[in-house]
Coordinates of all heavy atoms in Angstrom, one line a residue:
M1 N 22.1 -27.9 -24.0 CA 21.3 -26.8 -23.8 C 21.6 -26.2 -22.4 O 21.8 -26.9 -21.4 CB 19.8 -27.2 -23.7 CG 18.9 -26.1 -23.5 SD 17.2 -26.5 -23.8 CE 16.7 -27.3 -22.3
R2 N 21.8 -24.8 -22.4 CA 22.1 -24.1 -21.2 C 20.8 -23.5 -20.6 O 20.1 -23.0 -21.3 CB 23.1 -23.1 -21.4 CG 24.4 -23.5 -21.7 CD 25.4 -22.4 -21.9 NE 26.8 -22.8 -21.9 CZ 27.7 -22.0 -22.3 NH1 27.6 -20.7 -22.5 NH2 28.9 -22.5 -22.3
L3 N 20.8 -23.5 -19.3 CA 19.7 -22.9 -18.6 C 20.3 -21.8 -17.8 O 21.2 -22.0 -16.9 CB 19.0 -23.8 -17.7 CG 17.9 -23.3 -16.9 CD1 16.7 -22.7 -17.7 CD2 17.3 -24.3 -16.0
L4 N 19.9 -20.5 -18.0 CA 20.5 -19.4 -17.3 C 19.4 -18.9 -16.3 O 18.3 -18.6 -16.7 CB 20.8 -18.2 -18.2 CG 21.4 -17.0 -17.5 CD1 22.6 -17.3 -16.8 CD2 21.5 -16.0 -18.6
I5 N 19.7 -18.9 -15.0 CA 18.7 -18.5 -14.0 C 19.3 -17.2 -13.4 O 20.4 -17.1 -12.9 CB 18.6 -19.6 -12.8 CG1 18.0 -20.9 -13.4 CG2 17.7 -19.0 -11.7 CD1 18.0 -22.0 -12.4
V6 N 18.5 -16.1 -13.6 CA 19.0 -14.8 -13.1 C 17.9 -14.4 -12.1 O 16.7 -14.6 -12.3 CB 18.9 -13.8 -14.3 CG1 19.3 -12.5 -13.8 CG2 19.8 -14.3 -15.3
T7 N 18.4 -13.8 -11.0 CA 17.5 -13.3 -10.0 C 18.0 -11.8 -9.5 O 19.2 -11.6 -9.8 CB 17.5 -14.1 -8.7 OG1 18.8 -14.1 -8.1 CG2 17.0 -15.6 -9.0
S8 N 17.1 -11.1 -8.9 CA 17.5 -9.9 -8.4 C 17.0 -9.9 -6.9 O 15.9 -10.5 -6.7 CB 16.8 -8.7 -9.2 OG 17.3 -7.5 -8.5
T9 N 17.6 -9.2 -6.0 CA 17.2 -9.3 -4.7 C 17.1 -7.9 -4.2 O 18.0 -7.1 -4.2 CB 18.3 -10.0 -3.8 OG1 18.5 -11.3 -4.3 CG2 17.8 -10.2 -2.4
C10 N 16.0 -7.6 -3.5 CA 15.8 -6.3 -2.6 C 16.1 -6.8 -1.2 O 15.4 -7.6 -0.7 CB 14.3 -5.8 -2.8 SG 14.1 -5.1 -4.4
T11 N 17.1 -6.1 -0.6 CA 17.5 -6.6 0.7 C 17.3 -5.4 1.7 O 17.6 -4.2 1.4 CB 18.9 -7.1 0.8 OG1 19.8 -6.0 0.3 CG2 19.0 -8.3 -0.1
G12 N 17.0 -5.8 2.9 CA 17.1 -4.9 4.1 C 18.3 -5.2 4.9 O 19.2 -5.9 4.4
E13 N 18.3 -4.9 6.1 CA 19.4 -5.2 7.1 C 19.1 -6.5 7.7 O 18.2 -6.7 8.5 CB 19.5 -4.0 8.1 CG 20.8 -4.0 8.9 CD 21.9 -3.8 8.0 OE1 21.9 -2.9 7.1 OE2 23.0 -4.3 8.3
A14 N 19.9 -7.5 7.4 CA 19.7 -8.8 7.8 C 19.7 -9.0 9.3 O 20.6 -8.3 9.9 CB 20.7 -9.7 7.2
G15 N 18.8 -9.7 9.9 CA 18.8 -10.0 11.3 C 18.2 -8.9 12.2 O 18.1 -9.0 13.4
T16 N 17.8 -7.8 11.6 CA 17.3 -6.7 12.4 C 15.8 -6.7 12.6 O 15.3 -6.1 13.6 CB 17.6 -5.3 11.8 OG1 16.9 -5.2 10.5 CG2 19.2 -5.2 11.6
G17 N 15.1 -7.5 11.7 CA 13.6 -7.4 11.8 C 13.1 -6.0 11.3 O 12.0 -5.7 11.4
N18 N 14.0 -5.2 10.6 CA 13.6 -3.9 10.1 C 13.4 -4.0 8.6 O 14.5 -4.1 7.9 CB 14.6 -2.9 10.5 CG 14.2 -1.5 10.1 OD1 13.2 -1.3 9.4 ND2 15.0 -0.5 10.6
V19 N 12.2 -4.0 8.1 CA 12.0 -4.2 6.7 C 12.1 -2.9 5.9 O 11.9 -2.9 4.6 CB 10.5 -4.9 6.6 CG1 9.5 -3.9 6.8 CG2 10.4 -5.5 5.2
I20 N 12.3 -1.8 6.5 CA 12.3 -0.5 5.8 C 13.2 -0.4 4.6 O 12.8 0.0 3.6 CB 12.6 0.6 6.8 CG1 11.4 0.8 7.8 CG2 12.8 2.0 6.0 CD1 11.7 1.7 8.9
E21 N 14.4 -0.9 4.7 CA 15.4 -0.8 3.6 C 14.9 -1.7 2.4 O 15.1 -1.3 1.3 CB 16.8 -1.2 4.0 CG 17.4 -0.2 4.9 CD 17.6 1.2 4.2 OE1 17.9 1.3 3.1 OE2 17.3 2.2 5.0
A22 N 14.4 -2.9 2.7 CA 13.9 -3.7 1.6 C 12.8 -3.0 0.9 O 12.6 -3.1 -0.3 CB 13.5 -5.0 2.2
V23 N 11.8 -2.4 1.7 CA 10.7 -1.6 1.1 C 11.3 -0.5 0.2 O 10.8 -0.2 -0.9 CB 9.7 -1.1 2.2 CG1 8.8 -0.2 1.7 CG2 9.0 -2.3 2.8
R24 N 12.2 0.3 0.8 CA 12.8 1.4 0.0 C 13.4 0.9 -1.3 O 13.2 1.5 -2.4 CB 13.9 2.0 0.8 CG 13.3 3.1 1.7 CD 14.5 4.0 2.3 NE 14.0 4.7 3.5 CZ 14.6 4.7 4.6 NH1 15.7 4.1 4.8 NH2 14.0 5.3 5.6
H25 N 14.1 -0.2 -1.3 CA 14.8 -0.7 -2.5 C 13.7 -1.1 -3.5 O 13.8 -0.9 -4.7 CB 15.7 -1.9 -2.1 CG 16.5 -2.3 -3.2 ND1 17.0 -3.5 -3.3 CD2 17.0 -1.7 -4.4 CE1 17.7 -3.8 -4.4 NE2 17.7 -2.6 -5.0
A26 N 12.7 -1.9 -3.0 CA 11.6 -2.3 -4.0 C 10.9 -1.2 -4.6 O 10.6 -1.2 -5.8 CB 10.7 -3.2 -3.2
R27 N 10.6 -0.1 -3.8 CA 10.0 1.1 -4.4 C 10.8 1.8 -5.4 O 10.4 2.3 -6.3 CB 9.5 2.0 -3.2 CG 8.3 1.5 -2.4 CD 7.9 2.4 -1.4 NE 6.7 1.9 -0.8 CZ 6.2 2.3 0.5 NH1 6.9 3.2 1.1 NH2 5.2 1.8 1.0
Q28 N 12.1 1.8 -5.1 CA 13.1 2.5 -6.0 C 13.1 1.7 -7.3 O 13.1 2.4 -8.3 CB 14.5 2.6 -5.4 CG 15.5 3.3 -6.3 CD 16.9 3.3 -5.7 OE1 17.1 2.6 -4.7 NE2 17.7 4.1 -6.2
V29 N 13.2 0.4 -7.3 CA 13.2 -0.4 -8.5 C 11.9 -0.2 -9.3 O 11.9 0.1 -10.5 CB 13.4 -1.9 -8.2 CG1 13.2 -2.8 -9.4 CG2 14.8 -2.2 -7.7
N30 N 10.7 -0.2 -8.6 CA 9.5 0.0 -9.3 C 9.4 1.3 -9.8 O 8.9 1.6 -10.9 CB 8.3 -0.2 -8.2 CG 8.2 -1.7 -7.9 OD1 8.6 -2.6 -8.7 ND2 7.6 -1.9 -6.8
A31 N 9.9 2.5 -9.2 CA 9.9 3.8 -9.7 C 10.8 4.0 -10.9 O 10.4 4.6 -11.9 CB 10.3 4.8 -8.5
Q32 N 11.9 3.3 -10.9 CA 12.8 3.5 -12.1 C 12.1 2.7 -13.3 O 12.3 3.2 -14.4 CB 14.2 2.8 -11.8 CG 14.9 3.8 -10.9 CD 16.2 3.1 -10.4 OE1 16.4 1.9 -10.3 NE2 17.2 4.0 -10.1
I33 N 11.5 1.7 -13.0 CA 10.8 1.0 -14.2 C 9.6 1.8 -14.7 O 9.4 1.9 -15.9 CB 10.4 -0.4 -13.8 CG1 11.6 -1.3 -13.5 CG2 9.5 -1.0 -14.8 CD1 11.3 -2.7 -12.8
A34 N 8.9 2.4 -13.7 CA 7.8 3.2 -14.2 C 8.3 4.5 -15.0 O 7.7 4.8 -16.0 CB 7.0 3.7 -13.0
R35 N 9.4 5.0 -14.5 CA 10.0 6.2 -15.3 C 10.5 5.7 -16.7 O 10.2 6.4 -17.7 CB 11.2 6.7 -14.5 CG 11.9 7.9 -15.1 CD 13.0 8.5 -14.3 NE 13.9 9.1 -15.2 CZ 15.2 8.9 -15.2 NH1 15.8 8.1 -14.3 NH2 16.0 9.6 -16.0
A36 N 11.1 4.5 -16.8 CA 11.6 4.0 -18.0 C 10.4 3.8 -19.0 O 10.6 4.0 -20.2 CB 12.4 2.8 -17.8
S37 N 9.3 3.5 -18.5 CA 8.1 3.2 -19.4 C 7.6 4.4 -20.1 O 6.8 4.3 -21.0 CB 7.0 2.4 -18.7 OG 6.4 3.2 -17.7
T38 N 8.0 5.5 -19.5 CA 7.4 6.8 -20.1 C 8.4 7.5 -21.0 O 8.0 8.5 -21.6 CB 7.1 7.8 -19.0 OG1 8.2 8.2 -18.3 CG2 6.0 7.2 -18.0
L39 N 9.6 7.0 -21.2 CA 10.6 7.6 -21.9 C 10.7 7.2 -23.4 O 10.2 6.1 -23.8 CB 12.0 7.3 -21.3 CG 12.3 7.7 -19.9 CD1 13.7 7.2 -19.4 CD2 12.2 9.2 -19.7
S40 N 11.2 8.1 -24.2 CA 11.3 7.7 -25.6 C 12.6 6.8 -25.8 O 13.3 6.7 -24.8 CB 11.5 9.1 -26.5 OG 12.8 9.6 -26.1
S41 N 12.8 6.3 -27.0 CA 14.0 5.4 -27.2 C 15.3 6.1 -26.9 O 16.2 5.6 -26.4 CB 13.9 4.7 -28.5 OG 13.9 5.7 -29.5
I42 N 15.4 7.4 -27.3 CA 16.6 8.1 -27.1 C 16.8 8.4 -25.6 O 18.0 8.3 -25.2 CB 16.5 9.5 -27.9 CG1 16.4 9.3 -29.4 CG2 17.6 10.5 -27.5 CD1 16.2 10.5 -30.2
E43 N 15.8 8.7 -24.9 CA 15.9 9.0 -23.5 C 16.3 7.6 -22.7 O 17.0 7.7 -21.7 CB 14.6 9.5 -22.9 CG 14.4 11.0 -23.4 CD 12.9 11.5 -23.0 OE1 12.0 10.7 -23.1 OE2 12.8 12.6 -22.7
L44 N 15.8 6.5 -23.3 CA 16.1 5.2 -22.7 C 17.7 5.0 -22.8 O 18.2 4.5 -21.8 CB 15.4 4.1 -23.3 CG 14.0 3.8 -23.0 CD1 13.4 2.7 -23.8 CD2 14.0 3.4 -21.5
Y45 N 18.3 5.3 -23.8 CA 19.7 5.2 -24.0 C 20.5 6.1 -22.8 O 21.3 5.6 -22.1 CB 20.3 5.7 -25.3 CG 20.1 4.7 -26.4 CD1 19.0 4.9 -27.3 CD2 20.9 3.6 -26.5 CE1 18.8 3.9 -28.3 CE2 20.7 2.6 -27.4 CZ 19.6 2.8 -28.4 OH 19.4 1.9 -29.4
S46 N 19.9 7.3 -22.6 CA 20.5 8.1 -21.5 C 20.3 7.4 -20.2 O 21.3 7.4 -19.3 CB 19.9 9.5 -21.6 OG 20.4 10.3 -20.5
M47 N 19.1 6.9 -19.8 CA 18.9 6.3 -18.6 C 19.7 5.0 -18.4 O 20.2 4.7 -17.3 CB 17.3 5.9 -18.5 CG 17.0 5.5 -17.0 SD 15.2 5.2 -17.0 CE 15.1 4.6 -15.3
A48 N 19.8 4.3 -19.5 CA 20.6 3.1 -19.4 C 22.1 3.4 -19.0 O 22.7 2.7 -18.3 CB 20.6 2.3 -20.7
K49 N 22.6 4.4 -19.6 CA 24.0 4.9 -19.3 C 24.1 5.4 -17.8 O 25.0 5.0 -17.2 CB 24.4 6.0 -20.2 CG 25.8 6.5 -20.1 CD 26.2 7.5 -21.0 CE 27.6 7.9 -20.9 NZ 28.1 9.0 -21.8
E50 N 23.0 6.0 -17.4 CA 23.0 6.5 -16.0 C 22.9 5.3 -15.0 O 23.6 5.4 -13.9 CB 21.7 7.4 -15.8 CG 21.4 7.8 -14.5 CD 20.1 8.5 -14.4 OE1 19.7 9.3 -15.3 OE2 19.3 8.3 -13.4
L51 N 22.2 4.2 -15.4 CA 22.1 3.1 -14.5 C 23.2 2.1 -14.8 O 23.2 1.0 -14.1 CB 20.7 2.5 -14.7 CG 19.5 3.3 -14.2 CD1 18.2 2.6 -14.6 CD2 19.5 3.5 -12.8
S52 N 24.0 2.3 -15.8 CA 25.0 1.3 -16.2 C 24.4 -0.1 -16.4 O 24.9 -1.1 -15.9 CB 26.1 1.2 -15.0 OG 26.7 2.4 -14.9
C53 N 23.4 -0.1 -17.3 CA 22.8 -1.4 -17.6 C 22.6 -1.3 -19.2 O 22.6 -0.3 -19.8 CB 21.5 -1.5 -16.9 SG 20.1 -0.5 -17.5
P54 N 22.4 -2.6 -19.8 CA 22.2 -2.6 -21.2 C 20.9 -2.0 -21.6 O 20.0 -2.2 -20.9 CB 22.2 -4.1 -21.5 CG 22.8 -4.8 -20.3 CD 22.6 -3.8 -19.1
V55 N 20.9 -1.2 -22.7 CA 19.6 -0.6 -23.1 C 18.6 -1.6 -23.5 O 17.4 -1.3 -23.3 CB 19.9 0.5 -24.2 CG1 20.2 -0.3 -25.6 CG2 18.7 1.4 -24.4
E56 N 19.0 -2.8 -24.0 CA 17.9 -3.8 -24.3 C 17.2 -4.3 -23.1 O 16.0 -4.6 -23.1 CB 18.7 -5.0 -25.0 CG 19.3 -4.7 -26.3 CD 20.7 -4.1 -26.1 OE1 21.3 -4.3 -25.1 OE2 21.2 -3.5 -27.0
L57 N 17.9 -4.4 -21.9 CA 17.3 -4.8 -20.7 C 16.4 -3.7 -20.2 O 15.2 -4.1 -19.8 CB 18.3 -5.2 -19.6 CG 17.8 -5.5 -18.2 CD1 17.1 -6.7 -18.3 CD2 19.0 -5.6 -17.3
L58 N 16.8 -2.5 -20.2 CA 15.9 -1.4 -19.9 C 14.7 -1.3 -20.7 O 13.6 -1.1 -20.2 CB 16.7 -0.1 -19.9 CG 16.0 1.1 -19.3 CD1 15.6 0.9 -17.8 CD2 16.9 2.3 -19.4
R59 N 14.8 -1.5 -22.0 CA 13.7 -1.5 -23.0 C 12.7 -2.6 -22.6 O 11.5 -2.4 -22.6 CB 14.1 -1.7 -24.4 CG 13.2 -1.4 -25.4 CD 13.6 -1.4 -26.8 NE 14.6 -0.3 -27.1 CZ 15.8 -0.5 -27.5 NH1 16.3 -1.6 -27.8 NH2 16.5 0.6 -27.6
E60 N 13.3 -3.8 -22.3 CA 12.4 -4.9 -21.9 C 11.7 -4.7 -20.6 O 10.5 -5.0 -20.4 CB 13.2 -6.2 -21.7 CG 12.5 -7.5 -21.4 CD 11.7 -8.0 -22.6 OE1 12.0 -7.6 -23.7 OE2 10.9 -8.9 -22.3
C61 N 12.4 -4.1 -19.6 CA 11.7 -3.7 -18.3 C 10.6 -2.7 -18.5 O 9.5 -2.8 -18.0 CB 12.7 -3.1 -17.4 SG 13.9 -4.3 -16.7
A62 N 10.9 -1.7 -19.4 CA 9.8 -0.7 -19.7 C 8.6 -1.4 -20.4 O 7.5 -0.9 -20.1 CB 10.4 0.4 -20.6
K63 N 8.9 -2.3 -21.2 CA 7.8 -2.9 -21.9 C 6.9 -3.8 -21.0 O 5.7 -3.8 -21.1 CB 8.3 -3.8 -23.2 CG 7.2 -4.4 -24.0 CD 7.8 -5.1 -25.2 CE 8.0 -6.6 -24.7 NZ 8.6 -7.4 -25.7
L64 N 7.6 -4.6 -20.2 CA 6.9 -5.5 -19.3 C 6.3 -4.8 -18.0 O 5.4 -5.3 -17.4 CB 7.9 -6.6 -18.8 CG 8.4 -7.6 -19.8 CD1 9.5 -8.5 -19.1 CD2 7.3 -8.3 -20.4
G65 N 7.0 -3.7 -17.7 CA 6.5 -2.9 -16.4 C 7.1 -3.6 -15.2 O 6.6 -3.4 -14.1
R66 N 8.1 -4.5 -15.3 CA 8.8 -5.2 -14.2 C 10.1 -5.7 -14.8 O 10.4 -5.7 -15.9 CB 7.9 -6.3 -13.7 CG 7.5 -7.4 -14.7 CD 6.9 -8.6 -14.1 NE 8.1 -9.2 -13.4 CZ 7.9 -10.0 -12.3 NH1 6.8 -10.2 -11.8 NH2 8.9 -10.6 -11.7
L67 N 11.0 -6.2 -13.8 CA 12.2 -6.8 -14.2 C 11.9 -8.2 -14.8 O 11.0 -8.9 -14.3 CB 13.1 -7.0 -13.0 CG 13.8 -5.8 -12.5 CD1 14.5 -6.1 -11.2 CD2 14.8 -5.2 -13.5
P68 N 12.6 -8.6 -15.9 CA 12.3 -9.8 -16.5 C 13.0 -11.0 -15.9 O 13.4 -12.0 -16.5 CB 12.8 -9.7 -18.0 CG 13.9 -8.7 -17.8 CD 13.5 -7.8 -16.7
V69 N 13.2 -10.9 -14.6 CA 13.9 -12.0 -13.7 C 13.0 -12.2 -12.4 O 12.3 -11.3 -12.1 CB 15.3 -11.7 -13.5 CG1 16.1 -11.6 -14.6 CG2 15.5 -10.3 -12.6
V70 N 13.3 -13.2 -11.7 CA 12.7 -13.4 -10.4 C 13.2 -12.4 -9.5 O 14.4 -12.3 -9.3 CB 12.9 -14.9 -10.0 CG1 12.3 -15.1 -8.6 CG2 12.3 -15.9 -11.0
M71 N 12.3 -11.8 -8.7 CA 12.7 -10.8 -7.8 C 12.4 -11.5 -6.3 O 11.4 -11.8 -6.0 CB 11.9 -9.5 -7.9 CG 12.2 -8.6 -8.9 SD 13.7 -7.8 -8.7 CE 13.3 -6.6 -7.4
F72 N 13.6 -11.5 -5.6 CA 13.4 -12.0 -4.2 C 13.7 -10.9 -3.3 O 14.3 -9.9 -3.6 CB 14.5 -13.1 -3.9 CG 14.3 -14.4 -4.6 CD1 15.0 -14.8 -5.7 CD2 13.4 -15.2 -4.1 CE1 14.7 -15.9 -6.4 CE2 13.1 -16.5 -4.7 CZ 13.9 -16.8 -5.7
S73 N 13.1 -11.0 -2.1 CA 13.4 -10.0 -1.0 C 13.9 -10.8 0.2 O 13.4 -11.9 0.5 CB 12.0 -9.4 -0.7 OG 12.2 -8.5 0.4
A74 N 14.9 -10.2 0.8 CA 15.5 -10.8 1.9 C 16.1 -9.7 2.9 O 16.3 -8.6 2.5 CB 16.6 -11.7 1.5
G75 N 16.3 -10.0 4.1 CA 16.9 -9.2 5.1 C 16.0 -8.2 5.7 O 15.3 -7.4 5.1
G76 N 15.7 -8.4 7.0 CA 14.8 -7.5 7.7 C 13.4 -8.0 7.7 O 12.5 -7.4 8.3
I77 N 13.0 -9.1 7.0 CA 11.7 -9.6 6.9 C 11.6 -10.6 8.0 O 12.2 -11.7 7.9 CB 11.5 -10.1 5.4 CG1 11.4 -8.9 4.5 CG2 10.0 -10.8 5.4 CD1 12.3 -9.2 3.3
A78 N 10.7 -10.3 8.9 CA 10.7 -11.2 10.1 C 9.2 -11.7 10.4 O 9.1 -12.7 11.1 CB 11.2 -10.5 11.3
T79 N 8.2 -11.1 9.8 CA 6.8 -11.5 10.2 C 6.1 -11.8 8.8 O 6.5 -11.3 7.7 CB 6.1 -10.4 10.9 OG1 6.0 -9.3 10.0 CG2 6.9 -10.0 12.1
P80 N 5.0 -12.5 8.9 CA 4.2 -12.7 7.7 C 3.6 -11.4 7.1 O 3.5 -11.4 6.0 CB 3.0 -13.6 8.3 CG 3.6 -14.3 9.4 CD 4.5 -13.3 10.1
A81 N 3.4 -10.5 8.0 CA 3.0 -9.1 7.4 C 4.1 -8.5 6.6 O 3.8 -7.9 5.6 CB 2.6 -8.2 8.6
D82 N 5.3 -8.6 7.0 CA 6.5 -8.1 6.2 C 6.6 -8.9 4.8 O 6.7 -8.2 3.8 CB 7.8 -8.3 7.0 CG 8.0 -7.5 8.2 OD1 7.2 -6.5 8.4 OD2 8.8 -7.8 9.0
A83 N 6.4 -10.2 4.9 CA 6.4 -10.9 3.6 C 5.3 -10.5 2.7 O 5.5 -10.4 1.5 CB 6.3 -12.4 4.0
A84 N 4.1 -10.4 3.3 CA 2.9 -10.0 2.5 C 3.2 -8.5 1.8 O 2.9 -8.3 0.7 CB 1.7 -9.9 3.4
L85 N 3.8 -7.6 2.6 CA 4.1 -6.3 2.1 C 5.1 -6.4 0.9 O 4.8 -5.7 -0.1 CB 4.6 -5.4 3.2 CG 5.2 -4.0 2.7 CD1 4.0 -3.2 2.2 CD2 5.8 -3.3 3.9
M86 N 6.0 -7.2 1.1 CA 7.0 -7.3 -0.1 C 6.4 -8.0 -1.3 O 6.7 -7.6 -2.5 CB 8.3 -8.1 0.4 CG 9.1 -7.4 1.5 SD 9.4 -5.7 1.1 CE 10.5 -5.8 -0.2
M87 N 5.5 -9.0 -1.1 CA 4.9 -9.6 -2.2 C 3.9 -8.5 -2.9 O 3.8 -8.4 -4.2 CB 4.0 -10.8 -1.8 CG 4.8 -11.9 -1.2 SD 5.9 -12.7 -2.4 CE 4.8 -13.7 -3.3
K88 N 3.2 -7.6 -2.1 CA 2.4 -6.6 -2.7 C 3.2 -5.6 -3.5 O 2.8 -5.0 -4.4 CB 1.7 -5.9 -1.6 CG 0.6 -5.0 -2.1 CD -0.3 -4.5 -0.9 CE -1.4 -3.7 -1.4 NZ -2.3 -3.3 -0.4
L89 N 4.5 -5.4 -3.1 CA 5.4 -4.5 -3.8 C 6.0 -5.1 -5.1 O 6.9 -4.6 -5.8 CB 6.5 -4.0 -2.9 CG 6.0 -3.1 -1.9 CD1 7.2 -2.8 -0.8 CD2 5.6 -1.8 -2.4
G90 N 5.6 -6.4 -5.4 CA 6.0 -7.0 -6.6 C 7.1 -8.1 -6.5 O 7.6 -8.6 -7.5
M91 N 7.5 -8.5 -5.3 CA 8.5 -9.5 -5.1 C 7.9 -10.9 -5.5 O 6.7 -11.2 -5.2 CB 9.0 -9.6 -3.7 CG 9.7 -8.3 -3.2 SD 11.1 -7.8 -4.2 CE 10.4 -6.4 -5.1
D92 N 8.7 -11.7 -6.2 CA 8.2 -13.1 -6.7 C 8.5 -14.0 -5.5 O 7.8 -15.1 -5.4 CB 9.0 -13.5 -7.8 CG 8.6 -12.6 -9.0 OD1 7.4 -12.4 -9.3 OD2 9.6 -12.1 -9.7
G93 N 9.4 -13.7 -4.6 CA 9.7 -14.6 -3.5 C 10.2 -13.9 -2.3 O 10.7 -12.8 -2.5
V94 N 10.0 -14.4 -1.1 CA 10.5 -13.7 0.1 C 11.2 -14.7 1.0 O 10.7 -15.8 1.2 CB 9.3 -13.1 0.8 CG1 9.8 -12.4 2.1 CG2 8.6 -12.1 0.0
F95 N 12.4 -14.3 1.4 CA 13.2 -15.1 2.4 C 12.9 -14.5 3.8 O 13.2 -13.3 4.0 CB 14.7 -15.0 2.1 CG 15.1 -15.7 0.8 CD1 15.5 -14.9 -0.2 CD2 15.1 -17.0 0.6 CE1 15.9 -15.5 -1.4 CE2 15.4 -17.6 -0.5 CZ 15.8 -16.9 -1.6
V96 N 12.3 -15.3 4.7 CA 11.9 -14.7 6.0 C 13.0 -15.2 7.0 O 13.4 -16.3 7.0 CB 10.5 -15.3 6.4 CG1 10.2 -14.8 7.8 CG2 9.5 -14.8 5.3
Y97 N 13.4 -14.2 7.8 CA 14.4 -14.5 8.8 C 13.7 -15.3 9.9 O 12.6 -14.9 10.4 CB 14.9 -13.2 9.4 CG 15.8 -13.4 10.6 CD1 17.1 -13.9 10.3 CD2 15.4 -13.1 11.9 CE1 18.0 -14.1 11.4 CE2 16.3 -13.2 12.9 CZ 17.6 -13.7 12.7 OH 18.4 -13.9 13.7
V98 N 14.3 -16.5 10.3 CA 13.6 -17.3 11.3 C 14.6 -17.4 12.5 O 15.8 -17.5 12.4 CB 13.4 -18.7 10.7 CG1 12.4 -19.4 11.7 CG2 12.8 -18.7 9.4

């Protein structure tokens, strides 16, 4: 039996303590998923082509309202407040720069 572990990462600029890029990336991912959930099946094909991703994956994201993989956030996260913000934006895990 095979176990496939897939993750996605929203990253900021590592070592800077600047969480802005990670927040922008998380918001962009969330906005694209929200947009996909409003599209018809024909429009999903067009969006999948635009994003260069399988239409089945996009359809699953639209149905779930999130990516069907673990979302991590890393880079620029330096404080507990940064980590809490990323969790509020839908991240499943946060790597904190120490």
Side-chain angles (χ1 to χ4, degrees):
M1 178 169 83
R2 287 185 173 171
L3 176 63
L4 178 63
I5 299 174
V6 180
T7 63
S8 181
T9 307
C10 286
T11 59
E13 194 64 38
T16 64
N18 187 351
V19 72
I20 292 172
E21 288 303 316
V23 169
R24 275 193 197 129
H25 189 207
R27 287 182 176 162
Q28 180 182 14
V29 168
N30 291 338
Q32 288 175 333
I33 291 171
R35 180 176 156 231
S37 66
T38 65
L39 300 178
S40 69
S41 61
I42 293 172
E43 292 170 320
L44 278 176
Y45 282 102
S46 176
M47 186 176 183
K49 186 175 181 181
E50 174 187 317
L51 296 173
S52 301
C53 74
V55 71
E56 296 83 19
L57 175 62
L58 189 57
R59 191 175 292 124
E60 182 74 13
C61 290
K63 185 177 94 177
L64 294 173
R66 58 168 290 146
L67 287 173
V69 297
V70 177
M71 284 286 290
F72 285 105
S73 181
I77 294 134
T79 68
D82 293 343
L85 173 62
M86 296 310 295
M87 296 295 282
K88 191 171 185 174
L89 289 172
M91 299 301 106
D92 297 309
V94 178
F95 296 108
V96 178
Y97 176 74
V98 198

